[in-house]
Amino acid sequence: MAKYTEAKCRMCRREGCKLFLKGDRCFSEKCAYDRRPYAPGQHGRTRKKVSEYAVQLREKQKARRAYGILERQFHGYFEKAEMQKGVTGTNLLVILERRLDNVVYRLGFANSRNQARQLVRHGVFTLNGRKVNIPSLQVKVGDSIEVPEKNRKIPVLAGAQEVIARRGCPAWLEANGAAFKGTVKALPQRDDIQFPVNEQLIVELYSK
């Protein structure tokens, strides 16, 4: 499977906003975007004439990179969102939020989505009591995500309670750091997704 191996902070600078790809570092003074809030490269500071297509592309790239998804899979999510009832853009964001790796991140069991994806692939979590290792699984209302006793000594998970207290937990999820457990209370709504993206531009891009 293809994997991005370059500096992740370059993606934040390219998209012009924080994508929180490096966890706690993004909240510290070491954040590359805070120090250099302009596009990477020799001509990063120069103003460029931006076309309508470029604006739409940047919104799509921003969402895709934030959730760590490759183009083919992202386009598949769009097609799925288009077939569902309701607003296509909102459906797309809800599908992305319901990914198991994103839920693990939102619950505070990982510092970044990339770290959450790695933990899921290593079988650290159980879903409704069954071991899972597929980051793209779509969670449902009532699902329970838990860390078995034998995996709770992993250093990354040891500070889960502190992460939950510092970062908070979305209203559609319920996190219990002491019990290393999280529950899906409801499906996410558009207001629950605070990520700064204009999903309508993504719909316009794919609708051409």
Side-chain angles (χ1 to χ4, degrees):
M1 178 179 175
K3 182 180 180 182
Y4 181 83
T5 57
E6 302 298 326
K8 291 181 174 59
C9 293
R10 289 176 64 89
M11 290 195 283
C12 296
R13 293 174 58 201
R14 182 65 188 87
E15 303 309 332
C17 71
K18 285 190 179 185
L19 303 179
F20 301 100
L21 302 176
K22 302 198 77 171
D24 291 340
R25 184 186 178 94
C26 298
F27 297 94
S28 71
E29 59 184 14
K30 294 182 179 180
C31 176
Y33 180 75
D34 287 340
R35 290 187 285 116
R36 291 176 291 176
Y38 50 85
Q42 182 179 359
H43 305 289
R45 297 192 185 194
T46 59
R47 291 187 177 181
K48 298 179 182 178
K49 197 171 183 179
V50 182
S51 65
E52 180 183 355
Y53 172 79
V55 173
Q56 295 168 348
L57 178 64
R58 290 270 61 87
E59 287 299 306
K60 187 264 292 183
Q61 293 291 77
K62 185 194 301 183
R64 189 176 67 78
R65 288 171 168 175
Y67 287 93
I69 301 171
L70 296 177
E71 175 60 35
R72 185 174 180 179
Q73 188 176 25
F74 190 86
H75 190 265
Y77 284 146
F78 175 80
E79 291 179 338
K80 183 178 179 181
E82 202 172 25
M83 290 187 290
Q84 293 178 351
K85 293 182 179 179
V87 182
T88 300
T90 301
N91 292 342
L92 175 62
L93 294 182
V94 169
I95 290 173
L96 295 173
E97 281 289 306
R98 288 176 58 196
R99 281 176 57 99
L100 180 59
D101 55 356
N102 178 73
V103 172
V104 167
Y105 165 70
R106 294 292 193 194
L107 287 170
F109 293 131
N111 288 320
S112 65
R113 290 187 181 89
N114 187 51
Q115 189 179 73
R117 188 175 302 110
Q118 186 178 32
L119 291 172
V120 172
R121 281 178 178 159
H122 288 171
V124 172
F125 301 93
T126 61
L127 180 64
N128 299 326
R130 299 183 63 180
K131 183 177 178 180
V132 290
N133 59 3
I134 304 175
S136 61
L137 276 176
Q138 294 279 296
V139 299
K140 303 185 294 294
V141 177
D143 281 354
S144 175
I145 297 93
E146 191 171 359
V147 181
E149 188 72 36
K150 64 178 181 179
N151 294 332
R152 296 181 182 180
K153 294 182 180 180
I154 297 176
V156 173
L157 298 173
Q161 294 186 62
E162 296 179 8
V163 174
I164 294 170
R166 181 175 68 252
R167 200 166 64 196
C169 183
W172 59 285
L173 297 173
E174 182 178 359
N176 187 337
F180 291 88
K181 185 177 181 180
T183 307
V184 181
K185 298 193 299 181
L187 293 181
Q189 302 298 314
R190 182 61 185 92
D191 293 340
D192 297 324
I193 305 171
Q194 301 300 322
F195 179 64
V197 62
N198 186 344
E199 63 274 15
Q200 183 56 35
L201 292 177
I202 302 176
V203 175
E204 293 173 3
L205 175 67
Y206 280 129
S207 298
K208 289 184 177 181

